[in-house]
Amino acid sequence: MRRVVAIVAAVALAGFATVASADDVSVGASISYGLDLNDPASGSGNSSVYGGMNANDESFGVDLVQVGVSGSRGDVSYAAAINFGDLASAADDTDSGDSAQLAVANIAYDAGGVTVTAGRFGTPIGYEVLEPWGNGNISRSYGWQAQPINHDGVTVSTAVGDADLTLGVVNNFTVADTVGNDADDEMGFIAALGTSVGDWSLNLSGIVTEEADTTDITMGNLILSGELGGMPLAIEANYREDDATTKTEMTGIALYTSTSIGGADLDLRFDFIDDEGITTSADTEVWAVTVTASWALADGVDLRLEYRHDDADDAIFNDDSSGGTDDALDTVQAQLVWNP
C-alpha cells in the first residue's frame, strides 16, 4: 500500500506538470552512507548527526527524494512538493506511515507591493534546510534540530524601505509537531526581516506559539552573511525557550565558510550549543567541527565526504565501546546528491 501511494503521488505531480507545461518542475535526490565510530548498538545510534537522521549507526540510506512544481498565472503563483525517504516525515503531519509526504502546498497572491501566501510553506527561520542539496554539509547543526521546518498558515510579505518584511499566523511550531499540526486550537505567530548592513546581509526571524495549552515556545534566529578576507562567511545565532511546568532553553551559534582546494569544494562548520533540555535530555554544552569535501561528478550530481567531531560536557552520545555513553563522538559519512 505504501508503494502504491508513492507511485500515485508521483504520477499526480507529473500529470500536473504536463498540464502546466509552462511552469517549473523541480527534482532532487540524496543517498548516503554513515559510519558512527562510537559503534552504538543497532537501532540506538546518534541520529541527530546522521545525514538521514535515522537511528542506524552504519548503513546506507535514502535521505530524501523530492518532486515539486511551481508556477504563476498573472498575479497568482503556486508551489507544491512531495517528499520520500528518511527525512520526509520531518516535514509532514501524516500519521499513516505512507511513503509520500506533503512538504509544500501553497498559493500566493501579489496585491501590488504586498504578497499574501496561504497553505504549507517553508519556514523563514534558520540557515540550513531539510533538503540535502540546499546545505553545504551532510549533517546539520544542533541549532537546526530546534528550529521549525515548515508551517501551515498565512503570511503577508512586503518591502519596508530597504528591508523585506514577512508576518504570519501558523498552526503550532512546525508541521510535523508532536501535539498534531491541526489538532491544537492555539496559533503561532512568525516574523522575518531581511536587510543589508554595508556589504553584509542580515536576517532576523522568530516564532511565538503555545502548544496543547501547556507549553509556550519562543524562538529567535539571526543570520549575518557576507565575505571576510575574500572567503564567504555566515554566522547564525539561535535562542529557544520552552516554558511549561519546567522551563527549558537553548542558545547556540554556528559559523559556516567554504573554500576550494584543487577540484574539491570544502565546506566547514563550527557549531556550539548550550542546551538546557531542548534537544538533549541533559543540561549540557556541545561543540562540533564538521568538514565536508564535495566533487562534481556531472552536471547536477555531487559526491560528498564528511568528517565530524562532537564534544560535550556530559556523556550524551551512545557508545558501545565505552560501556554505554560517551562525551565525544566521531562520524564519517558519504553522500550522493542529485539536483539538476
Side-chain angles (χ1 to χ4, degrees):
M1 180 63 184
R2 293 173 61 186
R3 183 179 180 184
V4 171
V5 170
I7 293 174
V8 169
V11 170
L13 278 180
F16 187 21
T18 301
V19 173
S21 57
D23 299 328
D24 294 326
V25 178
S26 61
V27 293
S30 170
I31 59 175
S32 65
Y33 170 79
L35 176 61
D36 188 332
L37 299 183
N38 280 20
D39 193 27
S42 177
S44 64
N46 301 290
S47 59
S48 64
V49 304
Y50 303 157
M53 309 292 278
N54 56 59
N56 297 316
D57 62 293
E58 183 184 0
S59 67
F60 293 97
V62 178
D63 306 323
L64 195 70
V65 177
Q66 185 179 88
V67 182
V69 292
S70 62
S72 61
R73 299 292 183 272
D75 294 330
V76 177
S77 59
Y78 68 86
I82 290 179
N83 289 343
F84 310 87
D86 295 338
L87 294 169
S89 60
D92 188 88
D93 55 354
T94 301
D95 297 325
S96 62
D98 294 334
S99 296
Q101 308 281 327
L102 181 65
V104 172
N106 63 71
I107 295 177
Y109 175 66
D110 185 351
V114 176
T115 300
V116 180
T117 303
R120 181 168 296 181
F121 43 83
T123 186
I125 300 171
Y127 184 80
E128 297 169 311
V129 294
L130 180 73
E131 292 79 10
W133 46 90
N135 302 318
N137 302 106
I138 296 176
S139 62
R140 293 167 185 79
S141 67
Y142 280 98
W144 183 83
Q145 299 174 50
Q147 298 170 358
I149 293 174
N150 53 354
H151 307 280
D152 283 354
V154 177
T155 65
V156 177
S157 302
T158 188
V160 180
D162 294 331
D164 296 320
L165 176 65
T166 298
L167 300 173
V169 181
V170 298
N171 288 351
N172 305 93
F173 183 73
T174 193
V175 170
D177 210 305
T178 55
V179 300
N181 176 51
D182 306 313
D184 196 6
D185 61 352
E186 303 295 340
M187 293 288 104
F189 299 92
I190 61 174
L193 177 70
T195 188
S196 297
V197 180
D199 295 331
W200 291 69
S201 296
L202 174 67
N203 291 274
L204 294 169
S205 57
I207 182 170
V208 177
T209 186
E210 182 180 19
E211 294 193 347
D213 297 321
T214 60
T215 305
D216 295 324
I217 300 178
T218 303
M219 181 162 199
N221 176 267
L222 179 149
I223 301 170
L224 186 64
S225 56
E227 286 191 0
L228 185 65
M231 292 183 62
L233 177 66
I235 305 169
E236 179 182 26
N238 288 291
Y239 175 79
R240 174 172 166 176
E241 178 182 294
D242 291 11
D243 193 355
T245 304
T246 301
K247 184 172 74 174
T248 57
E249 61 182 357
M250 177 216 75
T251 55
I253 188 169
L255 306 179
Y256 307 85
T257 188
S258 61
T259 188
S260 297
I261 298 179
D265 294 327
L266 289 181
D267 284 271
L268 301 95
R269 180 182 63 222
F270 173 81
D271 185 18
F272 172 81
I273 190 171
D274 182 0
D275 191 352
E276 299 181 16
I278 297 291
T279 65
T280 67
S281 58
D283 293 347
T284 190
E285 295 181 355
V286 187
W287 66 268
V289 175
T290 305
V291 181
T292 308
S294 177
W295 296 267
L297 301 183
D299 186 22
V301 181
D302 292 332
L303 169 65
R304 297 172 171 177
L305 296 177
E306 177 175 292
Y307 169 73
R308 172 171 174 159
H309 175 78
D310 297 75
D311 214 297
D313 285 351
D314 301 283
I316 62 172
F317 303 113
N318 293 318
D319 185 351
D320 278 7
S321 62
S322 68
T325 58
D326 198 354
D327 61 0
L329 174 65
D330 293 280
T331 52
V332 177
Q333 301 188 69
Q335 187 179 61
L336 277 172
V337 174
W338 176 55
N339 184 226

